[in-house]
Amino acid sequence: MRLVERLLPFAVAALAIGAGYALSAGLDGYFVYLGMSAIVGRISLLGLGVVTGSAGMISLCQLTFGAVGAWVVSALNAAEAPGGFLVWLVLGGLAAGLVGVLVGLPALRLRGINLAVVTLGLAAAADLTLVQLQFPGVASGISVERPDAFSDDRSYFLLAVVVLVGCCLGVYFLRRGRWGSGWQAVAFSERGTAAAGASVRTSKLTAFAVSATLGGISGGLLTGQVGLAFPASFTAIQSLALYVLAIMSGAHLIDMAILGAVLWVGVPELLKRWGVPQDWGFVVFGLLGIQALTSGGNLGTAVRRLWYRRSGAPAKLELADATTTVEPVVPGPPVLVVRGLGVRFGEVTALSSVDIEVPEHGVLGVIGPNGAGKSTLVDAISGFLADAEGSVELDGRPLTGSPSKRARAGLRRTFQQDRVPPGLRVEAYLRFVARRRLSAAEIAGALDFFGCPDARTPLSEVDVGARRLVEVVGHLLARPRVLLLDEPAAGLPHSEHVAFGERLRQVPARFGVSVLLIEHDLDLVRSVCDTITVLDFGRVLASGPQAEVLADPAVLKAYMGETELL
Ligand code: ADP
Ligand code: MG
């Protein structure tokens, strides 16, 4: 099974090249030429699929990257540089990738509409500059030479197919690797990405770089197709249209970007045949885009549903049947020590002089009414609130810096809200979060222990309660020193709480991880936690061994009417 799966992409690639060969021989010359244009568009769309589809960033300058590729190929051709077309094509792609990193820099700070404005502005500026400068060699009419073996249209078409297949394979493998998981993760939640110890910056920049490299290759290929590059092929409005096509065709689905490519070439071609001015093409693309954005779906996903079977019900937990139990170990001295933690949000004091100690191999329960500051506590300890007062020590060393730095130092956390990227499979997500080599057996064992769905299940098909436990499993597999859990049972039916509590109690012994557990269900807290800290209005109300704390009159008073208490 594994082997078949591993070979499948190569088999599909070989088939695609075979089909390309048949088409290059069998198609009418006119369609061969249109086919080349579609492939050029397709490679560019593949790039947009990475930056927009996978990583969730708006990029409206994809054809500017195309222009960079075209520029490099034209310049090297005019200079009669060594290596020939194919080498120039690669260099054009790399140069565009470099420009992509520069364009990606603003994306580290900007999101949504602001990033759209910046990238579109860049496309417009590049557009004007190109018209002024023109491409190298154009003025003297030096057209770009195709490689000898691919000089006629039919064989150049086949070359384009091979380049396209290579690009698709590249994207396929990148998406399955660490970069790809990072793209999906930042698209869904930057906080979730940082909490996994991953760099949001790296994810964004690699997405821009890969996307721009593909844009550059596409531009270089176009130059070989037409011989001379012109600014009219790389205008800002065309970049905008390409973006719309990427959205509506679902270009992040590697096989479906082809729909966008067909429209990219087909719409202008039909307009030409019917004698309608070309500008109407942008109106058509605009309407298609509005349709896709307002319906929230895209053509690619809809087409895919026709032939990919989907399991109907979301995958759930199966916690009920007990697994072998490991006896809890006796908690040791504190591994995480928090002193004098204070957080203010404007006028609201969310935390004030909070001291917390998580014992080694223990589970500390943190309870308190809604709004007591429990989630703020986790945010502050894990580095998400940069101006929090107080000190945090892990293993006797000060823990400072960004959330991803703290995660890498051995402090992990989960979130009260769902931060698990639905675009990944369970296994890819676990590997991404764990940040270390995991054997299939280790993954299966941990999933099984928590009753989570199989490693191959897409997270989009996992119900929210189970998804939050997959998050817990991922962070446990990272083997941190301490894991902070923010209401991990909140998405589970109450009937599952006891079984979940049993698992949680074994976590320190099984995974060697000490736990801080925020929880509303006092039965669960009672069954799991040796020590408890109670927060109320941002202050520690009581702290100590379970029996003492839960019998404290002040705690009873604070909790009166809050939960189904004691
Ligand atoms: P808990 O998790 O115990 O329910 P929180 O830590 O979420 O409580 O919130 C503690 C207090 O801080 C609440 O009064 C809440 O309204 C406030 N608070 C939390 N986050 C913010 C924020 N980003 N901006 C302003 N106030 C906040
Ligand atoms: Mg909370």
Side-chain angles (χ1 to χ4, degrees), residues 369-376 378 416-417 486-487 518 520:
N370 262 334
K374 305 181 296 295
S375 296
T376 305
V378 173
Q416 194 170 356
Q417 304 82 12
D486 196 350
E487 304 199 17
I518 293 177
H520 256 301

Side-chain angles (χ1 to χ4, degrees), residues 57 101 103-111 115 190 199-206 208:
M57 292 178 290
V101 171
V103 174
L105 288 175
L108 301 179
R109 296 197 167 270
L110 303 176
R111 289 188 193 88
L115 185 58
E190 292 186 18
S199 157
V200 170
R201 185 180 311 178
T202 308
S203 291
K204 288 185 168 185
L205 290 184
T206 52
F208 258 102

Side-chain angles (χ1 to χ4, degrees), residues 268-278 280:
E269 195 56 29
L270 286 177
L271 293 177
K272 197 159 82 188
R273 283 200 179 186
W274 297 333
V276 182
Q278 288 286 307
W280 281 96

Side-chain angles (χ1 to χ4, degrees), residues 293-357:
L293 290 172
T294 51
S295 70
N298 59 58
L299 210 57
T301 312
V303 172
R304 264 194 168 196
R305 274 208 199 103
L306 297 178
W307 66 76
Y308 287 95
R309 218 161 19 95
R310 292 202 145 231
S311 58
K316 280 194 171 34
L317 290 177
E318 285 174 21
L319 265 171
D321 39 336
T323 51
T324 49
T325 51
V326 177
E327 277 311 305
V329 284
V330 181
V335 52
L336 179 76
V337 178
V338 176
R339 292 276 175 258
L341 206 59
V343 174
R344 296 177 62 88
F345 295 112
E347 291 300 300
V348 180
T349 303
L351 290 177
S352 168
S353 319
V354 171
D355 295 344
I356 291 260
E357 288 184 359

Side-chain angles (χ1 to χ4, degrees), residues 5-61:
E5 233 166 71
R6 230 173 262 172
L7 292 180
L8 190 68
F10 296 103
V12 172
L15 269 178
I17 291 175
Y21 181 74
L23 287 174
S24 74
L27 280 182
D28 181 76
Y30 166 76
F31 284 107
V32 167
Y33 199 82
L34 277 190
M36 279 191 258
S37 305
I39 290 170
V40 165
R42 172 84 168 72
I43 295 175
S44 216
L45 277 166
L46 196 64
L48 272 179
V50 168
V51 75
T52 296
S54 295
M57 292 178 290
I58 302 181
S59 162
L60 300 180
C61 57

Side-chain angles (χ1 to χ4, degrees), residues 227-479:
L228 291 173
F230 294 104
S233 313
F234 308 102
T235 60
I237 186 133
Q238 282 169 300
S239 278
L240 199 58
L242 200 68
Y243 172 80
V244 168
L245 283 179
I247 296 292
M248 64 140 307
S249 66
H252 60 291
L253 309 166
I254 295 176
D255 48 349
M256 288 304 143
I258 194 129
L259 294 172
V262 168
L263 288 169
W264 178 243
V265 176
V267 169
E269 195 56 29
L270 286 177
L271 293 177
K272 197 159 82 188
R273 283 200 179 186
W274 297 333
V276 182
Q278 288 286 307
D279 286 348
W280 281 96
F282 296 118
V283 176
V284 175
F285 292 150
L287 291 176
L288 290 172
I290 289 170
Q291 202 281 331
L293 290 172
T294 51
S295 70
N298 59 58
L299 210 57
T301 312
V303 172
R304 264 194 168 196
R305 274 208 199 103
L306 297 178
W307 66 76
Y308 287 95
R309 218 161 19 95
R310 292 202 145 231
S311 58
K316 280 194 171 34
L317 290 177
E318 285 174 21
L319 265 171
D321 39 336
T323 51
T324 49
T325 51
V326 177
E327 277 311 305
V329 284
V330 181
V335 52
L336 179 76
V337 178
V338 176
R339 292 276 175 258
L341 206 59
V343 174
R344 296 177 62 88
F345 295 112
E347 291 300 300
V348 180
T349 303
L351 290 177
S352 168
S353 319
V354 171
D355 295 344
I356 291 260
E357 288 184 359
V358 178
E360 170 123 56
H361 294 139
V363 183
L364 168 74
V366 173
I367 60 174
N370 262 334
K374 305 181 296 295
S375 296
T376 305
L377 175 75
V378 173
D379 283 349
I381 298 174
S382 55
F384 283 93
L385 296 170
D387 42 9
E389 290 167 16
S391 69
V392 181
E393 282 188 4
L394 187 68
D395 278 325
R397 282 188 293 275
L399 187 71
T400 53
S402 69
S404 55
K405 187 175 162 217
R406 294 186 195 204
R408 289 198 290 266
L411 182 107
R412 292 295 187 107
R413 58 127 352 138
T414 63
F415 291 90
Q416 194 170 356
Q417 304 82 12
D418 180 20
R419 306 262 179 199
V420 179
L424 293 175
R425 285 182 193 274
V426 170
E427 179 173 355
Y429 173 73
L430 294 182
R431 289 187 190 281
F432 177 70
V433 174
R435 295 183 67 80
R436 63 186 188 86
R437 281 195 171 278
L438 297 173
S439 70
E442 194 176 358
I443 289 178
L447 287 173
D448 197 44
F449 179 64
F450 278 99
C452 290
D454 179 78
R456 315 235 345 108
T457 318
L459 282 162
S460 57
E461 292 176 17
V462 176
D463 83 352
V464 66
R467 211 153 57 212
R468 300 193 59 228
L469 286 204
V470 171
E471 182 187 14
V472 173
V473 171
H475 289 287
L476 284 175
L477 286 173
R479 305 271 164 158

